[in-house]
Amino acid sequence: MTIKTYREAIIEAMILEMKRDEKVFVIGEDISGGRGCEDFDGEAAGGPMGLTQGLWDEFGAKRVIDTPISETAIMGAAAGAALSGLRPIAELMFSDFFGVCFDQIYNQAAKFRFMYGDQGATPLVIRTMIGAGIGCGPQHSQSPYSIFANIPGLKVVTPSNPYDAKGLLISSIRDNDPVIFCEHKALLGIDGEVPDESYEVPLGKGKILKEGDDISIVAIGQMVGVVQNCIKSLEEKGISAEIIDPRSLSPFDDEMVYDSVEKTGRLLVLDESNPVCSFGSWITSMVSEEVFSSLKAPTKVLTPPHCPVPAAPNLEAAYLPDMDTIISASENLKNYS
Amino acid sequence: MQLSKDKLIDAYTRMKKIRVFEETMRDEFAKGTVPAFIHLYIGQEAIASGICVELNDDDTIASTHRGHGHCLAKNSNLERMTMEIFCRADGLCEGKGGSMHIADLSVGMLGANAIVGANAPIAVGAALRQRVMGENLVSAAFIGDGASNQGAVFEAMNLASVLKLPVLFVFENNGYAEFTGVDYHCGGGDIAGRAEGFGMPSYKLDGSDFFAVQEAAAEAVQRARKGDGPSAIECYAKRWYGHFEGDPQHYRTKKELESIRKNNDPLIIFRQKVEEAGLIESSELDLIDDDLLSQVTNAVEKAKNSPLPNIEELTTNVYEKGSY
């Protein structure tokens, strides 16, 4: 067992899978980082966030394919390659860029299996960066996973820590459907224990990070770390929280959430997507339909406000749900009568 | 003309099969038996056939909403294809695709596509097999004059050119993007010239002349297989019917329609060339015509008498079985 960062865990997953299966390749912008330039001299940068560092040196240009800035071509080529038997990992540098290439994702890759009558699989992973918190502003900071999860045919995962990042990416690469793998940019540098060997974290299986009796808190992506920092304060206030990291949004481990709410009677969801039609609101709607009689208080979703992500540091800090908001919302649920 | 007699017969069969099939579909649509919109390929038969006679089964094509001709030219199973157009359970796509989304992966037909121009990057992706796996394969995208204005097509051409991928960008200039003429919608008016701008060799030719298409395709395929990258082939051939069946075609004159049917019929042009050169007897081709008519008629009857999908199939195959 070694301590590795979230970034290192992602790179390691790709290297292991590329060694295991020659059909796996990576395609995207700057993923080798200038290798195509005549005067290139040095180590391949591995993308602006270093998420493909070392791949070019290990596997070369045939399987680590730098592209022009052409997201439609990247996603379409990845979809076509998957349909014809390869296993592409396509990098969409920032998830905000889905707007220029979504047709290839939601009309093409997501529908191939259904509309072609199960003639073939579409084993495609789209690795993309989500999230606010590091000052990237309105067009590089969004978390559009609720939009992705809305599409039949797509699978969506949101790892919150290095261990899950590696195991979920390996499972995603081996999966036979298109998976949108959402990497949170504020988490790239966090570290944790990650085994050196290959392992899978199954898609659609959540994880209970802490058991509790008073309130079920479902946290997505970056919100997992924020709520973990609240545990002590909550306990001091006499609130025993059960914390669930769903890890996958589609498929979603609804049974784990139902079981927890049946025990606690209260549900708080922490979600970084926009509030209207957010993934969090879907979770609360399912809970209301399935385990209504267990509820002791109305369900609650905390999201950012319905506005784009701002650039100014003070505004961005105010944009994300913070510890105070989470603690206060938990108290309100606990004291509801 | 250096083609063997077998290849000529093969080419004629593909073209004629498309003609007979589409005429039959037209009749069926008028009778109200076809449960979806259809876009007929008549007038453009030489393009799909000229390209596909140069491809092998494991080469791939990515098609368009006007895809029946591409499907047939790539030797898709006629009966299962017909069933799919009638949205039947035993269709190629189990009735869930229909005419505009028909695919036959067993012969490298990667799908008709109802999103105009979206097939071009998909064809580029299939061509990546040459780079990643070293497979000696070619991939072709059929792209209408209307689709030629889509950003996806430009991006696909640039990526194929930069990565030197084995792709044929086959531009089917049939004169109209839905209801809008090419003279109105195409800036510069030179589709092949745009491809040249991306650094690939290009051809402009008469798309009702099988031999012109086939000759260009043979060169482009050879170049692609050698690893020398993509080519573009712009084929002019006006479609004989509307954008979709039922389109009243107010945007063009009867005179134009009469003229293309008289002067630009790919089948008449083919027959004249092979018969004048003494390569095939007219009677031999007539026999093919009769055989195709009975094949198509039987396929349509069989499709009409086969069941629609079970309601239980509504939500199947969204994901791999057991994975969701």
Side-chain angles (χ1 to χ4, degrees):
Chain A
M1 196 73 84
T2 336
I3 300 295
K4 286 166 200 155
T5 64
Y6 189 92
R7 176 191 286 109
E8 287 164 346
I10 287 166
I11 295 171
E12 193 167 277
M14 287 191 280
I15 289 175
L16 286 169
E17 285 306 290
M18 289 178 80
K19 281 184 179 164
R20 177 179 169 267
D21 185 348
E22 60 179 2
K23 293 193 173 86
V24 178
F25 70 99
V26 189
I27 184 165
E29 293 154 4
D30 292 331
I31 57 170
S32 81
R35 276 281 170 175
C37 300
E38 222 166 90
D39 295 330
F40 184 92
D41 180 25
E43 206 176 318
M49 296 294 195
L51 280 157
T52 46
Q53 211 160 39
L55 294 187
W56 194 94
D57 296 312
E58 179 114 26
F59 301 103
K62 284 189 175 172
R63 293 174 70 196
V64 182
I65 305 174
D66 263 353
T67 68
I69 300 178
S70 297
E71 285 84 6
T72 288
I74 298 166
M75 294 306 141
L83 188 62
S84 25
L86 299 177
R87 303 188 84 88
I89 303 170
E91 185 172 298
L92 180 62
M93 194 183 287
F94 289 88
S95 63
D96 312 64
F97 306 164
F98 87 83
V100 294
C101 60
F102 206 34
D103 178 66
Q104 291 295 339
I105 300 171
Y106 95 108
N107 257 327
Q108 310 298 333
K111 289 178 182 163
F112 285 158
R113 185 186 290 277
F114 181 87
M115 75 181 168
Y116 298 160
D118 206 23
Q119 287 184 60
T122 313
L124 158 65
V125 179
I126 299 170
R127 289 184 33 252
T128 191
M129 213 177 319
I130 61 164
I134 67 163
C136 291
Q139 295 174 338
H140 278 59
S141 302
Q142 296 164 94
S143 297
Y145 48 69
S146 305
I147 296 172
F148 304 148
N150 184 251
I151 307 300
L154 295 182
K155 293 174 176 172
V156 184
V157 297
T158 51
S160 71
N161 61 76
Y163 179 90
D164 286 343
K166 178 173 168 182
L168 284 169
L169 184 50
I170 288 175
S171 296
S172 300
I173 295 168
R174 295 178 187 177
D175 198 89
N176 288 322
D177 291 312
V179 180
I180 310 237
F181 189 86
C182 300
E183 300 163 356
H184 201 296
K185 64 173 77 64
L187 302 178
L188 298 180
I190 64 159
D191 55 26
E193 288 191 349
V194 178
D196 293 333
E197 66 270 18
S198 182
Y199 60 92
E200 292 185 42
V201 169
L203 306 188
K205 295 284 174 225
K207 190 174 182 186
I208 296 175
L209 300 176
K210 176 192 163 295
E211 297 200 354
D213 300 317
D214 295 330
I215 177 168
S216 305
I217 303 182
V218 178
I220 298 168
Q222 176 178 218
M223 290 293 111
V224 174
V226 180
V227 73
Q228 280 178 313
N229 291 335
C230 299
I231 292 172
K232 206 171 156 220
S233 306
L234 289 171
E235 277 173 355
E236 282 167 7
K237 291 175 186 296
I239 300 171
S240 163
E242 177 145 304
I243 297 176
I244 297 173
D245 178 355
R247 306 194 288 194
S248 299
L249 303 185
S250 178
F252 181 73
D253 196 347
D254 47 2
E255 292 298 329
M256 178 177 278
V257 176
Y258 300 154
D259 289 348
S260 177
V261 173
E262 281 181 328
K263 179 173 68 170
T264 64
R266 300 177 186 87
L267 173 66
L268 173 64
V269 184
L270 310 177
D271 177 1
E272 202 180 324
S273 58
N274 302 323
V276 179
C277 303
S278 69
F279 197 83
S281 62
W282 164 244
I283 297 176
T284 59
S285 135
M286 287 193 296
V287 163
S288 300
E289 286 185 22
E290 298 297 324
V291 290
F292 184 75
S293 58
S294 304
L295 288 172
K296 299 171 189 162
T299 57
K300 176 76 182 166
V301 185
L302 288 179
T303 66
H306 199 54
C307 66
V309 186
N314 60 328
L315 295 181
E316 191 181 32
Y319 172 86
L320 287 167
D322 62 6
M323 288 172 62
D324 289 345
T325 326
I326 294 166
I327 292 163
S328 140
S330 304
E331 283 182 294
N332 289 343
L333 290 183
K334 174 79 192 289
N335 300 329
Y336 181 85
S337 58
Chain B
M1 250 183 275
Q2 301 152 330
L3 302 181
S4 67
K5 189 175 173 189
D6 282 353
K7 193 161 180 178
L8 290 171
I9 296 271
D10 178 19
Y12 179 79
T13 306
R14 294 187 205 219
M15 285 197 291
K16 184 70 185 186
K17 194 193 271 187
I18 298 170
R19 174 68 55 87
V20 174
F21 185 82
E22 294 291 61
E23 282 174 344
T24 311
M25 281 304 117
R26 192 160 186 267
D27 292 345
E28 291 296 330
F29 188 84
K31 284 191 253 172
T33 61
V34 183
F37 269 113
I38 54 170
H39 306 74
L40 301 182
Y41 195 70
I42 296 181
Q44 301 172 230
E45 294 92 337
I47 306 174
S49 305
I51 300 294
C52 291
V53 289
E54 293 302 319
L55 301 178
N56 304 323
D57 268 2
D58 50 0
D59 293 324
T60 49
I61 62 166
S63 167
T64 71
H65 59 283
R66 197 176 302 288
H68 301 173
H70 307 137
C71 234
L72 291 167
K74 199 68 173 58
N75 288 331
S76 285
N77 181 293
L78 174 66
E79 287 189 356
R80 294 200 61 210
M81 176 196 163
T82 311
M83 285 185 191
E84 188 55 39
I85 291 168
F86 283 87
C87 301
R88 295 319 209 248
D90 292 328
L92 282 169
C93 308
E94 299 176 350
K96 287 175 172 173
S99 165
M100 282 204 289
H101 312 91
I102 197 163
D104 188 351
L105 300 192
S106 69
V107 293
M109 159 59 178
L110 298 181
N113 207 310
I115 306 298
V116 171
N119 61 330
I122 292 169
V124 173
L128 278 169
R129 290 180 302 165
Q130 188 186 64
R131 182 184 176 108
V132 176
M133 303 293 291
E135 293 179 56
N136 186 17
L137 297 167
V138 176
S139 181
F142 292 94
I143 302 161
D145 52 289
S148 76
N149 296 320
Q150 286 277 33
V153 174
F154 295 136
E155 288 196 22
M157 284 197 284
N158 189 51
L159 186 62
S161 175
V162 166
L163 299 180
K164 271 192 147 184
L165 296 176
V167 186
L168 270 58
F169 293 94
V170 182
F171 290 101
E172 301 191 86
N173 188 339
N174 71 10
Y176 299 93
E178 302 194 5
F179 305 161
T180 302
V182 65
D183 294 340
Y184 177 92
H185 75 65
C186 182
D190 182 4
I191 296 170
R194 292 173 175 180
E196 271 170 28
F198 287 105
M200 67 183 85
S202 76
Y203 305 79
K204 282 157 107 64
L205 48 87
D206 177 358
S208 52
D209 178 0
F210 166 83
F211 296 99
V213 179
Q214 177 272 328
E215 206 173 306
E219 281 183 25
V221 165
Q222 195 186 23
R223 194 177 302 122
R225 289 203 203 282
K226 268 170 46 193
D228 290 341
S231 310
I233 305 174
E234 182 181 357
C235 311
Y236 296 91
K238 287 195 170 172
R239 58 168 147 82
W240 285 20
Y241 295 105
H243 166 53
F244 49 77
E245 273 305 281
D247 167 10
Q249 301 187 72
H250 293 312
Y251 48 86
R252 60 173 163 176
T253 60
K254 279 204 174 117
K255 205 171 140 197
E256 176 186 309
L257 290 169
E258 281 161 15
S259 160
I260 49 174
R261 285 169 202 182
K262 190 170 154 221
N263 303 314
N264 304 96
D265 183 333
L267 288 152
I268 293 177
I269 293 170
F270 183 93
R271 271 182 171 251
Q272 274 170 354
K273 289 203 175 181
V274 294
E275 284 166 19
E276 276 166 21
L279 296 169
I280 310 177
E281 294 288 321
S282 177
S283 55
E284 206 170 334
L285 297 178
D286 292 344
L287 285 176
I288 293 174
D289 293 0
D290 295 343
D291 178 48
L292 288 170
L293 183 60
S294 93
Q295 279 186 40
V296 170
T297 310
N298 290 341
V300 168
E301 281 315 303
K302 199 166 174 185
K304 282 158 65 177
N305 290 316
S306 71
L308 287 164
N310 286 326
I311 294 299
E312 295 76 50
E313 296 298 324
L314 175 62
T315 55
T316 58
N317 297 328
V318 179
Y319 298 95
E320 185 178 29
K321 210 161 279 168
S323 78
Y324 198 89

